[in-house]
Amino acid sequence: MTELPRGANAPLPARRVTATVSCAVPVDVSALTVDADLQARSDADLVFYNAPEGAGVRWSQVGGGQRIELDLEAVPADAQAVVIVVSLTGRTSFGAVPPPRLQLTAADGTPLAGFTVTDLGPERAILGLEVYRHGTGWKVRALGQGYTGGLAELLTAHGIEVDDPGEDQPAAAPPPEPAMGVPPPRPAEPAPPAEPGPQPAAGPSRSEVGYVERCWLVWEDASRSLAAYRAATEHALRLRDDELAGRAPAGRHQELMAAAADRLSADAAQLAGELAGVEPHVGAEVASFAAATWLTWQPRSDVAEGILLGTLTAAELPGLRIPLVLRMPWRRGVWISRGALPGDSAAYAWSLITRFLAAVPPGLVGLEVIDASGLSGASWLSGFDPLTVQTLLGGGVATGPAAGERLRRLLDLVDLRGIGGDAELPPGLAPGPPVRLVVVMDAGAALDGEDAHRLMRLVEDGPLVGVPVLLVETDTPAAESVRALRVRQSCNNLPSAEGAIADSWVGADWTLTPDVLPDAGDGTRPPSLFAHVLGAHARAIASYG
């Protein structure tokens, strides 16, 4: 693969290529077909989440991010180039987060060119890669030109009419994966029996998508099949009542029940086969803690597609176990509810934190643990060596008055990044990696405290600027208040022990079994795998000099 510095170019041997972007915070990716002056010929030359198809250009969301697929043979003859555009949401600037990296690959997955866009400051949108005609062939150039006014300024400068240049986006932001734990309204009456077979979602074929996207597609298909089965059986039971009353011939309801069961069984077998074909090859961050891949885990050089939360099952589908995977980077906060036993939520929290660290390269993420009451048992974090505590653990657990102060400093960081500030830290916040994973223990008590309004803002604004938030309901149950409801609606809600979760397509009920570290206990002692992953990060950072 050719590594391109800013301004450099390289020939493209392939005619079907895919552009992807990796960044520590969520970004939007779009493409602009332009002439020799880098001007769009019409508004139809912009391809993005709200207009995903153009001549020779297609946008899609796969795995943890968005991508642009180019069929260069289909690009119009009067177009000179296609430019890959990267933009941030809100008023965050690229100078306040780690530099984004663009990569161009061939249709078979062979890497062709890479470009890490460094030396950015207040820019909120950039021209990344330019794929342009060169004689009878094509080349790629690393641009790296930034725009402080965001995507609207960039588009206006290149010939796209934007309704309101003051807005950051031409349309509403693309939705992330469906929020977990918030089912849609259920229909008043069950739908009639659906056609057999799961229906794949539109977009790339199943053979093209990554493991994370595949898991979500399987869950969606299984949910729709389950809803169809339940609707069919309800219809059959109503028909049985008619049979018993003599209003319909006997035996028809049994035929319908058997047909529905056969369809569901066939669907489940197909979906289970899809997962079985790829699960032996997945990375540790999306594998069970019991998987052998954890024995050979090494720190990553990039951000993983996602992390495993647990396994989804349904009573009607005994042979299907669907991995529930949360995409990286997080676009929403995560709320872990109290479990049946004391310590369930803390044990699950440290399991997710271990996965989070395993899914990112060393030096990218540090922990900020807040426990105002000091009752969560996380004081063992201070037992690591002082350098690790200072550089990766935010100086240790913040308790008592220090908890409120830490929360305020983190919110200052979010506000600084939100107004396009540079990479300087707010006073009082310890130096550390650019992404801060905030872990709030005893979240129920925190939402009743004097800093609750700050916590609410942190949950709502932090994830999009490199400050993801994990709230853990340990000791104090969350009150049924408007504030608590608002925070939980902003989060993906997870049970800490086996519990119910509803999908966001048809509202089907599933049982989530969290994947928890075997020695997590009640969260009052360091799990060995957490210590191993944290130590690997610390050693890698030390080796950087």
Side-chain angles (χ1 to χ4, degrees):
M1 179 179 69
T2 303
E3 191 64 32
L4 299 173
R6 185 182 264 103
N9 63 75
L12 274 183
R15 292 297 177 264
R16 288 181 178 270
V17 296
T18 299
T20 57
V21 179
S22 60
C23 189
V25 298
V27 294
D28 290 326
V29 184
S30 49
L32 198 56
T33 301
V34 295
D35 59 19
D37 297 321
L38 292 185
Q39 293 294 303
R41 301 162 306 154
S42 72
D43 288 353
D45 285 335
L46 173 63
V47 172
F48 67 118
Y49 49 81
N50 221 27
E53 295 279 350
V57 185
R58 183 163 77 96
W59 176 98
S60 63
Q61 181 157 324
V62 176
Q66 304 167 29
R67 70 179 185 180
I68 299 293
E69 298 172 38
L70 303 180
D71 179 0
L72 298 178
E73 300 291 352
V75 173
D78 60 340
Q80 174 64 21
V82 180
V83 180
I84 307 302
V85 177
V86 186
S87 58
L88 290 163
T89 58
R91 297 193 62 81
T92 311
S93 71
F94 279 109
V97 300
R101 175 174 172 76
L102 294 90
Q103 182 166 298
L104 211 60
T105 58
D108 62 0
T110 303
L112 300 174
F115 175 35
T116 300
V117 193
T118 57
D119 300 323
L120 294 173
E123 297 91 344
R124 294 187 286 118
I126 55 174
L127 298 178
L129 292 173
E130 177 192 10
V131 178
Y132 64 98
R133 296 184 189 275
H134 182 74
T136 59
W138 290 81
K139 299 183 78 173
V140 56
R141 177 184 290 117
L143 295 178
Q145 180 179 342
Y147 294 79
T148 59
L151 185 57
E153 180 189 359
L154 183 154
L155 295 177
T156 301
H158 294 277
I160 297 294
E161 182 177 348
V162 178
D163 292 338
D164 182 358
E167 294 294 325
D168 293 318
Q169 305 292 345
E177 67 272 9
M180 288 172 277
V182 185
R186 293 180 182 272
E189 293 293 334
E195 291 298 319
Q199 301 299 315
S205 72
R206 293 290 250 267
S207 61
E208 296 176 342
V209 303
Y211 178 71
V212 174
E213 186 71 9
R214 185 184 301 273
C215 290
W216 280 86
L217 290 172
V218 167
W219 187 20
E220 179 181 0
D221 287 352
S223 294
R224 296 190 186 282
S225 293
L226 189 58
Y229 170 77
R230 290 172 176 171
T233 55
E234 288 186 28
H235 173 69
L237 291 175
R238 289 197 301 272
L239 183 59
R240 182 192 62 179
D241 293 340
D242 290 341
E243 291 176 7
L244 293 175
R247 295 190 296 269
R252 176 58 178 162
H253 86 278
Q254 292 179 332
E255 295 177 7
L256 293 177
M257 292 281 284
D262 289 343
R263 287 197 299 268
L264 184 65
S265 178
D267 292 350
Q270 174 189 328
L271 297 174
E274 286 190 31
L275 294 173
V278 295
E279 283 180 339
H281 311 292
V282 301
E285 63 279 347
V286 290
S288 166
F289 284 124
T293 186
W294 280 103
L295 299 175
T296 56
W297 174 85
Q298 295 292 328
R300 296 181 61 94
S301 60
D302 59 356
V303 178
E305 283 188 296
I307 60 174
L308 179 69
L309 302 179
T311 304
L312 295 164
T313 56
E316 298 96 330
L317 297 165
L320 183 62
R321 298 175 60 84
I322 304 173
L324 179 58
V325 182
L326 182 60
R327 293 184 176 105
M328 296 280 285
W330 291 2
R331 285 182 178 264
R332 302 165 62 93
V334 172
W335 177 283
I336 298 179
S337 300
R338 298 176 77 211
L341 298 175
D344 277 354
S345 56
Y348 188 30
W350 289 111
S351 301
L352 291 188
I353 294 166
T354 301
R355 288 189 179 279
F356 197 106
L357 291 176
V360 299
L364 180 62
V365 174
L367 301 183
E368 299 281 351
V369 182
I370 298 173
D371 181 15
S373 66
L375 300 176
S376 71
S379 58
W380 50 263
L381 281 173
S382 301
F384 290 96
D385 70 86
L387 185 60
T388 298
V389 172
Q390 191 63 32
T391 58
L392 289 176
L393 302 178
V397 182
T399 61
E405 182 64 21
R406 180 83 63 88
L407 187 61
R408 287 189 284 274
R409 297 290 77 81
L410 287 165
L411 189 56
D412 288 343
L413 177 63
V414 170
D415 289 340
L416 182 63
R417 292 179 174 180
I419 61 174
D422 57 22
E424 293 296 322
L425 291 174
L429 188 64
V435 175
R436 306 294 180 97
L437 174 58
V438 182
V439 182
V440 181
M441 295 294 188
D442 203 4
L447 286 174
D448 284 337
E450 59 183 14
D451 290 310
H453 64 290
R454 294 187 177 92
L455 179 58
M456 185 164 58
R457 284 196 51 218
L458 189 68
V459 170
E460 293 177 344
D461 300 337
L464 293 181
V465 294
V467 187
V469 184
L470 174 63
L471 300 110
V472 191
E473 189 182 23
T474 50
D475 300 291
T476 306
E480 296 296 328
S481 64
V482 173
R483 179 183 295 144
L485 180 62
R486 178 173 165 181
V487 167
R488 296 192 66 166
Q489 287 179 334
S490 300
C491 294
N492 285 313
N493 291 268
L494 302 172
S496 56
E498 187 172 277
I501 189 169
D503 74 77
S504 294
W505 299 284
V506 295
D509 294 323
W510 293 82
T511 297
L512 173 65
T513 303
D515 193 60
V516 180
L517 286 164
D519 62 343
D522 58 1
T524 58
R525 60 184 183 274
S528 58
L529 187 57
F530 170 81
H532 173 68
V533 172
L534 184 69
H537 275 241
R539 290 189 296 274
I541 293 171
S543 71
Y544 300 158

